[in-house]
Amino acid sequence: QVQLAESGGGSVQAGDSLRLSCAASGRTSSMFAMGWIRQSPGKEREFVAAVSWSGARTYYADSLKGRFTISRDSGKNTMYLQMNSLKPEDTAVYYCTTGGWNSAGVYRADYWGRGTQVTVSS
């Protein structure tokens, strides 16, 4: 089992920045990749970004490229999401996940954290 714990959410104004963190524990040796998925009220879950276990490869939702940056500190089993120029539509619960990619190249989350709320006011 893998345990994931997010931190860093909060309430900010449009244009501000936030950095989310996710600490992984447990059977981290079995982890292949980590990613962030978000869910806004009344909407389906949305892939945000993912990073390979080594941290060498990153993947983003097209709509978020340029504003969000995902990274990993393998020595600390921690993943980060730097979010800049935040918009009200970025308001969501952000979930830390670990998983991999299916045969279609779509990120698949196997383990989920409890989520951290990000609220962006206009």
Side-chain angles (χ1 to χ4, degrees):
Q1 287 279 33
V2 175
Q3 292 79 44
L4 303 170
E6 306 95 338
S7 61
S11 296
V12 298
Q13 297 291 316
D16 287 350
S17 298
L18 271 178
R19 189 175 83 152
L20 305 183
S21 300
C22 174
S25 60
R27 293 188 59 187
T28 58
S29 61
S30 65
M31 293 171 57
F32 183 75
M34 297 183 76
W36 293 95
I37 293 174
R38 69 184 184 183
Q39 186 165 24
S40 303
K43 296 185 179 180
E44 294 190 357
R45 289 172 176 170
E46 176 187 18
F47 170 78
V48 175
V51 59
S52 62
W53 187 240
S54 68
R57 304 181 74 174
T58 57
Y59 306 83
Y60 296 92
D62 288 342
S63 62
L64 300 176
K65 287 180 180 178
R67 292 197 299 123
F68 288 15
T69 303
I70 192 170
S71 61
R72 257 189 44 75
D73 183 335
S74 58
K76 297 181 180 180
N77 286 336
T78 302
M79 173 178 67
Y80 306 97
L81 184 68
Q82 178 67 42
M83 306 185 292
N84 297 328
S85 301
L86 283 163
K87 304 175 181 180
E89 51 264 42
D90 294 319
T91 295
V93 176
Y94 285 71
Y95 295 93
C96 171
T97 69
T98 181
W101 283 268
N102 63 20
S103 57
V106 176
Y107 179 74
R108 176 201 75 248
D110 296 326
Y111 292 96
W112 296 69
R114 292 190 173 187
T116 185
Q117 176 71 45
V118 172
T119 302
V120 185
S121 302
S122 58

